[in-house]
């Protein structure tokens, strides 16, 4: 038993060393090389690994039932390029300074964001586009850190590395277990919370429609909205072909109906959030994380 634990610990540490080695190399690569590496990454994910191919196909069939096979194949290939670029750019995150954020990131509806200057709000985004750049741009706007909920990695060394990356980007990560309590405490102190609210929440979630099918959705956003009644701002950052990044966001308004049960109110909040994401994905469909099981497990059997 002891040897087994030691072997697992050694395996985790070797994985971490590999990640750190690749991190060091990638961190110092010029952007033109990054783009070339992304093309090779597309080949690796698509051809060599066939990475989650069946799950991606199923998800695209659910989301775009009327799309042709050729259209879905183009989205799939674009996704493989996107996920490679995302990982490469995530590594460079701590080096993205204000000059980069000001010169390379366009905010479409900046006037809406300006309305919330100095005001507390709940921020929502998704595993879509360059969500780390989105969070960094928002922390620049609010002028302070942003509390986020982060899924704990199985490898403790890699987990700490991911947390350090977040902290370096002015984010305060809270691991999934106990995160809701900690983030609610942060809200009560006047701090800011950022959600990636599109993970499959499993049995603990609330079913809310997403592309026409119920998807188990994390209830945290609805719970915080009901408790604190703060505005919800939902937005995204997507990569454009000219080296620029585009941000857009909206206020999600869901008023509680008279005598409405809490569960029904929660579901309407989450449905509104999912619907906003649906419409956003239609703009850059290849930049969504199609490789995760967003819907109920029965959809993948």
């Amino acid at each position: 038993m002891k040897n087994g634990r030691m072997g697992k610990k050694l395996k985790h540490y070797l994985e971490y060393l590999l990640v750190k080695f690749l991190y060091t190399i990638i961190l110092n690569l010029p952007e033109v090389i990054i783009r070339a590496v992304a093309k090779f990454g597309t080949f690796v994910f698509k051809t060599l690994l066939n990475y989650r191919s069946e799950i991606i196909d199923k998800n695209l069939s659910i989301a775009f039932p009327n799309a042709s096979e050729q259209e879905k194949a183009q989205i799939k290939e674009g996704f493989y390029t996107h996920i490679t670029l995302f990982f490469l750019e995530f590594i460079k995150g701590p080096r993205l300074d204000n000059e980069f954020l000001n010169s390379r990131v366009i905010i479409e509806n900046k006037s809406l964001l300006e309305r919330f200057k100095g005001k507390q709000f709940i921020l929502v985004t998704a595993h879509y586009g360059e969500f780390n750049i989105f969070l960094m741009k928002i922390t620049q706007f609010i002028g302070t850190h942003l509390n986020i909920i982060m899924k704990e990695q199985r490898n403790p060394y890699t987990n700490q590395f991911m947390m350090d990356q977040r902290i370096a980007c002015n984010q305060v990560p809270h691991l999934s277990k106990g995160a809701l309590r900690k983030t609610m405490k942060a809200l009560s102190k006047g701090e800011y919370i950022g959600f990636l609210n599109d993970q499959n929440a499993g049995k603990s979630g609330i079913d809310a429609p997403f592309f026409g099918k119920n998807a188990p959705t994390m209830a945290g956003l609805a719970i915080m909205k009901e408790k604190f009644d703060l505005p919800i701002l939902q937005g995204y950052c997507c990569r454009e072909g000219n080296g620029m990044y585009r941000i857009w966001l909206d206020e999600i308004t869901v008023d509680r109906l008279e005598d409405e049960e809490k569960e029904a109110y929660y579901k309407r909040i989450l449905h509104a959030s999912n619907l906003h994401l649906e419409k956003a994905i239609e703009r850059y469909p290849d930049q969504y994380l199609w490789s995760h099981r967003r819907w109920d497990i029965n959809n993948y059997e």
Side-chain angles (χ1 to χ4, degrees):
M1 190 74 172
K2 186 176 180 181
N3 289 339
R5 286 197 299 269
M6 288 296 293
K8 188 175 183 180
K9 187 174 181 179
L10 177 61
K11 178 176 178 289
H12 282 161
Y13 188 65
L14 291 174
E15 288 174 350
Y16 165 73
L17 289 178
L18 176 60
V19 169
K20 284 289 289 185
F21 173 71
L22 294 174
Y23 168 82
T24 304
I25 292 174
I26 293 168
L27 192 62
N28 296 290
L29 289 178
E31 191 167 334
V32 64
I33 302 298
I34 290 286
R35 302 290 164 176
V37 171
K39 291 183 179 180
F40 177 69
T42 304
F43 170 75
V44 171
F45 275 116
K46 178 184 176 184
T47 307
L48 298 184
L49 299 179
N50 200 26
Y51 177 67
R52 297 197 172 187
S53 180
E54 292 183 4
I55 294 173
I56 295 168
D57 290 341
K58 184 65 178 178
N59 285 341
L60 290 174
S61 295
I62 293 172
F64 304 112
N66 298 321
S68 67
E69 293 304 313
Q70 182 180 1
E71 288 170 329
K72 286 183 285 190
Q74 288 175 344
I75 294 173
K76 184 177 181 179
E77 179 150 355
F79 161 73
Y80 284 134
T81 301
H82 161 68
I83 197 171
T84 308
L85 277 171
F86 173 80
F87 284 127
L88 295 173
E89 292 170 342
F90 176 76
I91 287 172
K92 285 184 169 287
R95 290 195 177 182
L96 303 183
D97 55 15
N98 284 336
E99 181 182 353
F100 176 93
L101 294 174
N102 292 335
S103 63
R104 301 279 293 277
V105 181
I106 301 166
I107 301 179
E108 279 188 358
N109 45 353
K110 195 171 182 179
S111 60
L112 182 140
L113 194 57
E114 290 292 341
R115 286 202 289 113
F116 291 91
K117 191 75 173 178
K119 300 177 183 178
Q120 193 182 18
F121 54 83
I122 301 171
L123 182 70
V124 182
T125 187
H127 292 87
Y128 176 47
E130 289 293 338
F131 56 85
N132 191 50
I133 292 178
F134 176 78
L135 296 175
M136 291 179 69
K137 188 66 178 178
I138 298 300
T139 58
Q140 182 194 49
F141 169 75
I142 62 178
T144 185
H145 65 268
L146 183 69
N147 292 275
I148 64 165
I149 295 175
M150 180 181 130
K151 185 176 181 180
E152 187 170 5
Q153 305 297 307
R154 293 180 182 177
N155 185 324
Y157 302 105
T158 305
N159 188 70
Q160 187 59 52
F161 170 75
M162 297 291 285
M163 290 184 70
D164 291 342
Q165 281 286 102
R166 293 294 187 189
I167 292 168
C169 294
N170 207 17
Q171 300 162 24
V172 177
H174 301 280
L175 299 179
S176 300
K177 188 175 181 180
L180 183 59
R181 176 179 56 82
K182 292 176 182 177
T183 49
M184 288 182 74
K185 184 177 180 180
L187 273 183
S188 67
K189 291 163 59 178
E191 297 182 16
Y192 292 87
I193 301 296
F195 276 97
L196 273 72
N197 209 44
D198 64 322
Q199 287 183 314
N200 187 321
K203 294 180 180 179
S204 64
I206 295 175
D207 280 342
F210 184 53
F211 282 109
K213 282 186 176 290
N214 275 339
T217 306
M218 292 184 292
L221 170 64
I223 292 170
M224 290 188 183
K225 173 62 179 174
E226 191 267 339
K227 182 175 177 60
F228 294 98
D229 196 28
L230 289 169
I232 298 173
L233 295 188
Q234 184 158 328
Y236 322 93
C237 174
C238 282
R239 186 188 315 105
E240 300 201 317
N242 55 2
M244 301 292 287
Y245 301 84
R246 181 171 296 275
I247 282 178
W248 71 101
L249 67 169
D250 298 287
E251 182 179 1
I252 304 294
T253 304
V254 182
D255 295 323
R256 190 166 186 174
L257 305 176
E258 187 176 355
D259 298 325
E260 185 176 25
E261 294 291 335
K262 186 181 292 187
E263 185 76 13
Y265 182 48
Y266 284 2
K267 190 163 186 173
R268 288 200 303 115
I269 292 170
L270 299 178
H271 185 197
S273 178
N274 284 350
L275 183 61
H276 190 273
L277 177 56
E278 282 181 37
K279 293 179 178 179
I281 288 171
E282 292 174 359
R283 294 184 63 172
Y284 302 86
D286 56 339
Q287 293 189 42
Y288 186 60
L289 189 64
W290 296 110
S291 57
H292 70 164
R293 293 177 172 86
R294 181 65 187 91
W295 287 272
D296 187 272
I297 190 65
N298 294 327
N299 289 298
Y300 301 95
E301 294 177 349

